[in-house]
Amino acid sequence: MRRTLIAGLTIAAVAVGGTAYLLLSTPSQRALMAQSRAERAVIVWGNADASVVAPLVDAFNRRHPGVTVRYTDVDSTLMYDRIVGTVQGGKAAPDIVWSSAMDLQAKLINDGYAQRYASPQKSALPDEAVWKDMGYGVTAEPVAIVYNKRLIAPSEVPQTHQAFTALLRARREALIGKVATYDPARSNVGYLYVTQDQAITRDTRALLQAIAATRPILLPTTEPMMDAVGKGEVAIAYNVVGPYALKHAASDDGVGVVFPKDYTLVASRVAFIPRDAPHPAGARLFLDFMLSREGQLLLARGLLPPMRTDLANTRSALPQARPIRGGPQLFVNLDPVKRRRFLAEWDAILAEGANAR
């Protein structure tokens, strides 16, 4: 399964050189390009690594030499706070807000921080990737289980969530301090993933209890999880951002990646144009490029799987894919009461696990 996904992305990355980026030859599109040249710049805030986005930005800059894209890598929670503070403080907003924290993006859109734009590229996107012609899912990123091959035998590698729970119970003593996952109190992405797990199956509580009984290492981002697995400090990590896991595994034969066969969450980095974007024409032009075949294939070079339905993507590679749908249902769990209730329950599960014998 991992080889299939990597192969699809590799093919896509190779194909980009021969793919033309075509804007629709209409008066509105020609006007958009003229307006963007007058604006001269596009300011993008995102939480994808700048190195991953660089080929996309460079290609756009080459095709539109009068328009310069300035990309800033910003933590998803900080990005949310900055957008709210920027608007309330009367400061200049960015032109594109692009984040993997789908629930925070949905809340910003719902709370009036985004403007409507019907991209001509949206017909190539699945329905769940477009919300109100404001929020656009740009990538389709599967969520993985990652393990150290020296510490988890091939016969023990869990292929489903239930099998993962069984492994944790059977090898609890050996895995104490050797299991990692996101800290939902510090990571919005981690909180999103685990609440999505809960929405899919009631068995999630049993899995969380099994994780807690190993006295897990709780981390705020993917990178330290992957480093810990690679070094053998951690035997297995749960709910890891799949593309980053695949990228790490491609350079480390000791790391294995599993996309659970019962269901695999598929998250997306959602982009929107802020209501008060200072360069609205450039923002629309860049969003169109992100969603175009060429833009999607360039992102695939960084192992960010494309969302477009006319390209090989996560949906075709993983039949068990369960895309996280955008929209108001996403920010239900951001309600302060619901969030406090979940985190209190999580703390109780951790405390119970720490006292387990």
Side-chain angles (χ1 to χ4, degrees):
M1 193 174 297
R2 171 187 152 201
R3 286 196 298 270
T4 300
L5 192 57
I6 290 178
L9 293 176
T10 302
I11 290 169
V14 170
V16 71
T19 301
Y21 168 49
L22 297 176
L23 279 171
L24 298 179
S25 183
T26 64
S28 61
Q29 287 294 322
R30 289 194 294 271
L32 187 65
M33 287 189 284
Q35 291 164 10
S36 65
R37 285 193 296 270
E39 292 173 350
R40 301 178 62 85
V42 182
I43 300 168
V44 181
W45 288 0
N47 70 336
D49 291 346
S51 61
V52 170
V53 183
L56 179 80
V57 170
D58 292 344
F60 181 88
N61 287 336
R62 285 194 302 271
R63 293 193 176 278
H64 304 282
V67 187
T68 301
V69 175
R70 297 197 293 269
Y71 180 83
T72 302
D73 186 350
V74 184
D75 172 78
S76 60
T77 303
L78 178 60
M79 195 185 314
Y80 175 88
D81 292 339
R82 279 187 180 179
I83 290 296
V84 174
T86 291
V87 174
Q88 292 179 349
K91 301 176 183 177
D95 299 302
I96 297 281
V97 180
W98 185 34
S99 171
S100 58
M102 298 177 68
D103 46 0
L104 292 181
Q105 293 290 84
K107 180 166 175 52
L108 286 170
I109 293 168
N110 189 72
D111 289 352
Y113 291 95
Q115 63 176 266
R116 191 178 300 276
Y117 174 55
S119 171
Q121 302 291 339
K122 75 174 188 175
S123 61
L125 303 175
D127 290 343
E128 71 266 14
V130 183
W131 186 42
K132 292 185 175 181
D133 283 347
M134 292 182 180
Y136 287 86
V138 178
T139 61
E141 303 177 40
V143 180
I145 296 172
V146 180
Y147 63 97
N148 183 292
K149 294 179 180 179
R150 296 181 297 277
L151 300 177
I152 303 293
S155 60
E156 295 179 318
V157 176
Q159 298 297 325
T160 65
H161 290 82
Q162 187 176 22
F164 183 43
T165 302
L167 171 68
L168 295 174
R169 288 172 174 170
R171 292 197 56 197
R172 175 182 169 272
E173 292 293 333
L175 291 174
I176 287 178
K178 291 286 188 178
V179 177
T181 192
Y182 284 111
D183 182 352
R186 293 187 293 159
S187 167
N188 277 101
V189 170
Y191 179 72
L192 171 65
Y193 291 173
V194 73
T195 51
Q196 288 295 306
D197 282 332
Q198 282 189 322
I200 289 173
T201 172
R202 295 178 181 177
D203 294 338
T204 297
R205 181 178 176 83
L207 173 56
L208 296 181
Q209 288 173 326
I211 291 174
T214 67
R215 299 169 195 169
I217 297 172
L218 302 177
L219 296 166
T221 61
T222 297
E223 186 176 353
M225 274 195 274
M226 292 306 310
D227 287 344
V229 172
K231 293 174 182 177
E233 298 168 353
V234 162
I236 194 162
Y238 179 64
N239 269 2
V240 181
V241 177
Y244 289 161
L246 291 172
K247 186 175 182 180
H248 194 107
S251 61
D252 186 345
D253 291 339
V255 173
V257 180
V258 171
F259 297 107
K261 292 180 179 177
D262 50 343
Y263 73 88
T264 293
L265 288 175
V266 178
S268 180
R269 293 176 192 269
V270 175
F272 69 83
I273 302 172
R275 182 184 65 209
D276 300 320
H279 311 105
R284 293 176 177 189
L285 197 65
F286 187 71
L287 179 61
D288 288 342
F289 189 60
M290 294 173 77
L291 298 173
S292 71
R293 284 179 61 87
E294 182 176 356
Q296 294 270 282
L297 292 171
L298 284 165
L299 287 172
R301 283 183 174 175
L303 291 184
L304 291 181
M307 176 64 80
R308 289 180 67 103
T309 56
D310 57 357
L311 293 173
N313 57 28
T314 301
R315 283 166 160 253
S316 56
L318 300 174
Q320 76 275 24
R322 293 288 293 271
I324 301 174
R325 298 184 67 88
Q329 69 273 15
L330 269 185
F331 55 81
V332 168
N333 288 312
L334 293 178
D335 176 81
V337 174
K338 288 183 178 292
R339 183 178 174 86
R340 283 197 300 270
R341 185 182 301 141
F342 171 84
L343 292 177
E345 184 179 2
W346 171 235
D347 287 342
I349 290 174
L350 286 177
E352 180 185 339
N355 294 324
R357 300 294 180 185

